[in-house]
Amino acid sequence: MAGSPPRGLKIPAGRRAELVLPTSVIFADLVPVVATFLIKDFAQFRVEGHVGISTPIGIVRLPFAKEGQLEVPKVPEIRVGSPRVANLSLTGATLQLPITLASRNSYELPVSGLEGGVSIGRATVGNISSGDLGRLSPREQRQVTVSLNVDFLRSLEAANAIRQGKGQLSLAAQLHSGGGAVPVSASQLVSFIR
């Protein structure tokens, strides 16, 4: 990372001032430390470099170093609820599917969308897309409801499950956040509510 404040930074005598240089970490690029991000809650870090300070004799470079630990981002837990049958015909059904996202982080997490396929029993019956969900607050549990159109011609098993009021519902999706996407899944025996 590198940069300079747009209007400079003045440090009063005997005081402190904060210089913030935004940087991004693309976790997918950190292949050598992937195990840390999968199994640990915290990761060690070290930052070092120099700060250039303008003085009457020119720019003076002052070294700095900082070590510490940072909380490893965790993918929100995903749960599917019992769908409400909004429309039912001989050839299909429209379901309102509640999905709960539960943050396991102590900081906000941007969630720009959840997209994926839904299965009832062993058959994939359709796709869902949530649209932008904004920011998930620390430890927040948020329920979103997405529409799912089920074509009974694609799956007799799905048709029977919906008509009988119970079945195994599975979600295999991508959770989009910060320009990247991670796979998420959930599976649960649900009641189809009419």
Side-chain angles (χ1 to χ4, degrees), residues 11-12 15 37-38 49 77 82 96 122 133 137 147 151 154 164 183 185:
I11 305 171
R15 308 278 313 269
F37 291 98
L38 294 176
E77 180 185 341
S82 292
Q96 297 299 314
R122 294 179 300 269
L133 300 176
S137 296
S147 290
D151 182 354
R154 292 176 64 184
Q164 292 170 5
S185 61

Side-chain angles (χ1 to χ4, degrees), residues 88-92 120-125 150-167 192:
L88 180 65
S89 71
L90 293 175
T91 59
I120 297 175
R122 294 179 300 269
T124 300
V125 295
V150 179
D151 182 354
F152 290 163
L153 300 176
R154 292 176 64 184
S155 172
L156 185 57
E157 184 179 7
N160 288 335
I162 293 171
R163 287 191 176 117
Q164 292 170 5
K166 189 168 283 195
F192 295 93

Side-chain angles (χ1 to χ4, degrees), residues 8-22:
L9 177 69
K10 296 188 188 283
I11 305 171
R15 308 278 313 269
R16 295 178 180 211
E18 184 176 272
L19 173 63
V20 177
L21 295 175

Side-chain angles (χ1 to χ4, degrees), residues 5 7 15-16 19 22 26 53 72 100 102 112 123 131 145 162 177 191:
R7 288 181 225 108
R15 308 278 313 269
R16 295 178 180 211
L19 173 63
I26 308 298
I53 297 179
V72 174
T100 301
S112 52
T145 301
I162 293 171
S177 176
S191 297

Side-chain angles (χ1 to χ4, degrees), residues 3-188:
S4 59
R7 288 181 225 108
L9 177 69
K10 296 188 188 283
I11 305 171
R15 308 278 313 269
R16 295 178 180 211
E18 184 176 272
L19 173 63
V20 177
L21 295 175
T23 187
S24 296
V25 176
I26 308 298
F27 290 105
D29 293 343
L30 300 177
V31 175
V33 293
V34 137
T36 296
F37 291 98
L38 294 176
I39 61 172
K40 294 187 177 179
D41 290 329
F42 293 90
Q44 297 298 120
F45 75 88
R46 177 172 172 78
V47 178
E48 56 185 62
H50 70 274
V51 175
I53 297 179
S54 178
T55 71
I57 59 169
I59 301 290
V60 174
R61 292 168 49 117
L62 300 175
F64 69 88
K66 172 73 176 167
E67 291 185 31
Q69 62 180 8
L70 60 90
E71 184 179 346
V72 174
K74 299 289 185 197
V75 175
E77 180 185 341
I78 306 290
R79 294 186 300 269
V80 293
S82 292
R84 187 177 64 78
V85 180
N87 188 16
L88 180 65
S89 71
L90 293 175
T91 59
T94 301
L95 304 178
Q96 297 299 314
L97 176 61
I99 300 172
T100 301
L101 288 82
S103 171
R104 300 182 292 158
N105 299 301
S106 64
Y107 46 82
E108 284 189 338
L109 186 69
V111 180
S112 52
L114 178 68
E115 300 178 321
V118 177
S119 299
I120 297 175
R122 294 179 300 269
T124 300
V125 295
N127 294 307
I128 56 103
S129 180
S130 69
D132 191 343
L133 300 176
R135 301 184 80 75
L136 197 59
S137 296
R139 311 283 184 228
E140 177 185 359
Q141 290 194 33
R142 183 182 306 169
Q143 186 178 86
V144 296
T145 301
V146 293
S147 290
L148 174 67
N149 293 316
V150 179
D151 182 354
F152 290 163
L153 300 176
R154 292 176 64 184
S155 172
L156 185 57
E157 184 179 7
N160 288 335
I162 293 171
R163 287 191 176 117
Q164 292 170 5
K166 189 168 283 195
Q168 189 71 28
L169 189 139
S170 302
L171 171 67
Q174 296 281 317
L175 183 72
H176 298 273
S177 176
V182 292
V184 293
S185 61
S187 184
Q188 188 171 321

